[in-house]
Amino acid sequence: NEPGKISLGKGSNQLELARMLFGETRDVNNGKYCGLVGSTALVRQKRSKLDLKEVLYAPNQYTCFTEKDPNFSFVVDPLHNSDNHPKDRQVWEMMYNLAGKILNNGAIEQVTHYWVEPTVKEPYWAKGKEPKIEFPHPNDERGRITRFYDLA
C-alpha cells in the first residue's frame, strides 16, 4: 500500500477517504472521532448523489486537500516521512482500514459539517446553530472540541 504513487483523486474510494481521514484526524487517534469525520463525507455523498471523490475534493470542504494546509503533504503521500516517523505508517494503515469499514458499514451519524475549537474560528455556517455532537478531544492540552452538525 504505497499511496504516494497514486495522484490525488485518482485512487479508489477507500484510498481517497483514507487520505481525508489521515489529513483531518491523524493526530486524534480515536476510532469514533474518525468515524464521525468520515461520516460527513458519506452523508454528503448520499444526499447530493455525487461521487465520493467529488464530495471529498469539492472546493472549501476538507481543508487537508488545499495546498496551504499543513497536512497537505500527508494527504499527497501519507508515508513520505515514515522512515523518520514510523508511527505515520501505523496510523496510515489504521486510517486506510477504517476507511474501508466506513465505506462497508455506512455513516455512524447523520452529520455533514464539523469544525474544531479553538483551532478554527467559528465558521459562518455554524453561527446560531446547535451542534448535533460535541466531541471533546481526550488528553488534549489545547482543550480542543469538535462540533458536528447536520446542515444539509
Side-chain angles (χ1 to χ4, degrees), residues 95-106:
M95 296 300 174
Y96 187 82
N97 291 330
L98 186 57
K101 288 179 184 175
I102 292 169
L103 289 168
N104 287 331
N105 299 328

Side-chain angles (χ1 to χ4, degrees), residues 56-112:
L56 291 172
Y57 290 98
N60 304 313
Q61 298 304 305
Y62 296 100
T63 58
C64 68
F65 291 122
T66 59
E67 290 183 25
K68 293 180 183 178
D69 189 279
N71 293 307
F72 184 71
S73 63
F74 289 94
V75 298
V76 171
D77 183 2
L79 303 176
H80 77 277
N81 203 21
S82 62
D83 288 342
N84 295 330
H85 298 280
K87 188 173 181 188
D88 282 355
R89 180 174 292 276
Q90 181 182 17
V91 173
W92 165 253
E93 289 172 1
M94 182 181 83
M95 296 300 174
Y96 187 82
N97 291 330
L98 186 57
K101 288 179 184 175
I102 292 169
L103 289 168
N104 287 331
N105 299 328
I108 63 170
E109 286 285 346
Q110 295 298 304
V111 289
T112 57

Side-chain angles (χ1 to χ4, degrees), residues 3-149:
K5 295 180 180 182
I6 300 171
S7 299
L8 288 179
K10 302 295 184 192
S12 66
N13 282 346
Q14 183 175 357
L15 174 63
E16 300 306 327
L17 182 59
R19 282 176 157 156
M20 183 272 272
L21 291 173
F22 194 64
E24 296 279 322
T25 72
R26 76 177 191 284
D27 68 328
V28 178
N29 196 19
N30 180 289
K32 180 172 181 176
Y33 181 76
C34 296
L36 288 167
V37 171
S39 291
T40 64
L42 266 58
V43 172
R44 290 178 187 185
Q45 176 197 18
K46 183 177 180 181
R47 292 180 184 176
S48 69
K49 305 208 183 339
L50 295 172
D51 179 83
L52 180 61
K53 293 173 206 166
E54 291 176 290
V55 170
L56 291 172
Y57 290 98
N60 304 313
Q61 298 304 305
Y62 296 100
T63 58
C64 68
F65 291 122
T66 59
E67 290 183 25
K68 293 180 183 178
D69 189 279
N71 293 307
F72 184 71
S73 63
F74 289 94
V75 298
V76 171
D77 183 2
L79 303 176
H80 77 277
N81 203 21
S82 62
D83 288 342
N84 295 330
H85 298 280
K87 188 173 181 188
D88 282 355
R89 180 174 292 276
Q90 181 182 17
V91 173
W92 165 253
E93 289 172 1
M94 182 181 83
M95 296 300 174
Y96 187 82
N97 291 330
L98 186 57
K101 288 179 184 175
I102 292 169
L103 289 168
N104 287 331
N105 299 328
I108 63 170
E109 286 285 346
Q110 295 298 304
V111 289
T112 57
H113 292 71
Y114 65 96
W115 67 284
V116 183
E117 182 185 348
T119 307
V120 176
K121 182 180 170 195
E122 183 179 26
Y124 72 90
W125 50 259
K127 294 198 184 300
K129 307 244 180 8
E130 286 294 318
K132 184 172 184 178
I133 298 168
E134 290 189 332
F135 188 95
H137 294 233
N139 305 316
D140 185 87
E141 67 276 356
R142 294 178 283 175
R144 291 180 297 173
I145 297 174
T146 300
R147 291 181 169 81
F148 291 89
Y149 300 79

